Amino acid sequence: EAGVTQFPSHSVIEKGQTVTLRCDPISGHDNLYWYRRVMGKEIKFLLHFVKESKQDESGMPNNRFLAERTGGTYSTLKVQPAELEDSGVYFCASSQVPFPGYTEAFFGQGTRLTVV
Amino acid sequence: RKEVEQDPGPFNVPEGATVAFNCTYSNSASQSFFWYRQDCRKEPKLLMSVYSSGNEDGRFTAQLNRASQYISLLIRDSKLSDSATYLCVVGGSGGYQKVTFGIGTKLQVIP
């Protein structure tokens, strides 16, 4: 069974440009999460989808970040315009039922974003 | 004070040694506790869930101390393949829980 896949694995963009990250969750997982790890810091929650609906987007840093999950399958996270402080590793995770709640979340390998 | 605190290490231990990590959490109402393992530049993967009664999986033992608000991970007979970063993950309380990650403890097992 395919795990959570993220694309691209790396992205280097200039400040002010736009980048779109993609996450394909495990098939059948209604719950999809985005997290971010800035260098030297903890992994931080960004938002949570249940199917195509945003359950919680309280972790989104600002309105330069836009997440979508059309049709409740894959999700995209767009950063527009990118700033230097957006650099980090963006992880996507999915789970059958909401995580934690005694269930496991499966993570993708992450997209390493560098804004220069 | 951070919600979830871990010693980032690194912990350098010889093969065969026993090593223990602690993780403290600030929210006394936290309900769910996990240890995830992350290899360099890889995705975090669940190592163990941590239950009130404690649990063991082979060489790994996890325990929860609610009174002192910490969880622990004990690794016995360390292997080179145990070298990784161990992330403490704590879930909140209430109907909808959000998880908080510790910064991770880096373990390096030396031949």
Side-chain angles (χ1 to χ4, degrees):
Chain A
E1 180 185 324
V4 178
T5 56
Q6 292 187 245
F7 182 83
S9 56
H10 293 82
S11 180
V12 180
I13 62 171
E14 292 185 351
K15 176 182 171 180
Q17 289 187 322
T18 296
V19 63
T20 299
L21 315 181
R22 172 169 169 147
C23 169
D24 286 73
I26 292 173
S27 177
H29 282 192
D30 288 341
N31 295 272
L32 185 150
Y33 308 82
W34 284 99
Y35 297 92
R36 178 175 73 173
R37 183 167 194 157
V38 172
M39 185 180 293
K41 301 286 188 180
E42 299 85 354
I43 294 173
K44 294 282 192 183
F45 168 83
L46 295 180
L47 89 160
H48 171 204
F49 282 102
V50 178
K51 297 185 179 178
E52 66 274 13
S53 300
K54 292 176 185 174
Q55 169 76 21
D56 182 355
E57 54 183 329
S58 62
M60 295 287 262
N62 50 59
N63 60 10
R64 295 185 293 102
F65 289 74
L66 175 64
E68 294 180 322
R69 192 183 182 195
T70 306
T73 54
Y74 71 91
S75 175
T76 58
L77 179 64
K78 180 189 289 188
V79 185
Q80 179 182 28
E83 300 288 344
L84 298 179
E85 65 263 25
D86 300 333
S87 296
V89 181
Y90 290 76
F91 290 103
C92 176
S94 72
S95 61
Q96 284 187 315
V97 295
F99 175 68
Y102 303 106
T103 188
E104 176 182 0
F106 295 85
F107 284 77
Q109 289 204 2
T111 293
R112 187 171 297 272
L113 175 65
T114 303
V115 183
V116 297
Chain B
R1 182 185 173 187
K2 290 183 180 180
E3 290 184 58
V4 177
E5 293 211 58
Q6 289 185 259
D7 182 342
F11 284 60
N12 297 312
V13 301
E15 268 187 291
T18 295
V19 61
F21 311 133
N22 280 348
C23 164
T24 60
Y25 59 94
S26 61
N27 183 357
S28 60
S30 297
Q31 300 284 349
S32 307
F33 308 89
F34 307 87
W35 284 104
Y36 270 75
R37 170 192 168 131
Q38 186 176 21
D39 292 291
C40 188
R41 293 186 177 249
K42 297 287 188 180
E43 71 275 23
K45 290 183 179 179
L46 179 67
L47 176 67
M48 299 178 78
S49 300
V50 188
Y51 304 118
S52 297
S53 55
N55 46 307
E56 185 174 316
D57 183 3
R59 297 181 294 107
F60 299 84
T61 301
Q63 292 197 313
L64 166 64
N65 185 316
R66 286 193 182 273
S68 300
Q69 293 182 211
Y70 73 86
I71 65 172
S72 63
L73 178 67
L74 181 77
I75 305 175
R76 290 179 297 279
D77 188 23
S78 299
K79 311 290 185 191
L80 295 177
S81 57
D82 294 335
S83 298
T85 295
Y86 291 84
L87 300 167
C88 172
V89 183
V90 178
S93 59
Y96 170 70
Q97 302 177 35
K98 196 182 321 184
V99 297
T100 304
F101 289 77
I103 199 164
T105 296
K106 186 171 183 178
L107 172 66
Q108 186 69 47
V109 181
I110 305 164

